[in-house]
Amino acid sequence: MSGSGKGAPKGGPQGKRPAPPQGRPRTGSRVAAIQALFQSEQTGEAAETVLDQFVRHRIGPDAGGFEDGRVPLADVPLFAELVRGVARQGDLLDEIVGGHLAGDWTVVRLDPVLRALLRAAAFELSSGTQPPARVVINEYMDIAHGFFSGEEPRFANGVLDAMARSLRAPEFQR
């Protein structure tokens, strides 16, 4: 799922960003976290630096619109938890994601936006039992469809489902 043109991001950090549905600040937090994680990886800036930039300039009612890469509606504590958690547990999360990739896929080979999305989802799935795994999958799938128009959402769905069934097995035994 690298930038080969086929299945290129429609809303990746260089293009139009997905807008979370109105009234869904937790979704907004996840969108902002993916954007911040992408920015941190691409620029080499520390997660805390990027987190601060987002809180000051991209999140909140005065931040502007989605088309400008802003997320007016976001739960800042969740956003910060996701960015810090992924930064702190990056190697472990890459092991989790990598362990659920098929064939010759590696975490490094993934599109950087997809990599940020899967890392954030892996963090949420491995950090407890809330929200429920199916909610995590649905949230990240909504976001994947906002960022990508190619095969990436289907690819993400397979990885998310496999991670959830592995990390939260009891939720799938009901």
Side-chain angles (χ1 to χ4, degrees):
M1 314 276 67
S2 61
S4 62
K6 177 182 164 193
K10 70 176 177 186
Q14 300 303 320
K16 181 179 164 241
R17 270 91 174 164
Q22 291 299 322
R24 290 180 58 185
R26 295 182 64 79
T27 302
S29 301
R30 291 176 177 104
V31 170
I34 291 164
Q35 292 174 341
L37 293 166
F38 172 88
Q39 180 177 322
S40 179
E41 180 178 350
Q42 296 302 303
T43 65
E45 293 176 302
E48 284 297 324
T49 301
V50 174
L51 198 153
D52 181 61
Q53 291 170 4
F54 268 71
V55 170
R56 288 186 308 138
H57 303 293
R58 292 184 171 199
I59 294 176
D62 299 328
F66 295 107
E67 64 280 351
D68 298 323
R70 290 161 175 51
V71 186
L73 185 63
D75 175 342
V76 174
L78 176 60
F79 164 70
E81 177 185 356
L82 291 170
V83 173
R84 287 181 177 131
V86 171
R88 190 175 48 248
Q89 298 179 19
D91 291 341
L92 172 63
L93 298 173
D94 283 354
E95 279 183 40
I96 292 170
V97 172
H100 294 91
L101 296 175
D104 62 348
W105 280 98
T106 63
V107 173
V108 176
R109 187 174 166 205
L110 296 172
D111 173 274
V113 175
L114 184 57
R115 185 170 43 246
L117 183 145
L118 292 173
R119 284 173 173 163
F123 173 75
E124 283 200 68
L125 290 167
S126 66
S127 295
T129 59
Q130 290 300 319
R134 286 180 175 90
V135 170
V136 174
I137 292 169
N138 287 337
E139 284 280 308
Y140 284 100
M141 284 307 302
D142 285 349
I143 296 167
H145 283 288
F147 276 120
F148 299 101
S149 61
E151 292 296 313
E152 290 88 351
R154 191 170 63 84
F155 183 91
N157 188 49
V159 176
L160 290 167
D161 185 66
M163 286 192 308
R165 289 177 184 279
S166 171
L167 296 167
R168 304 262 193 97
E171 290 183 45
F172 294 90
Q173 294 173 351
R174 298 178 188 160

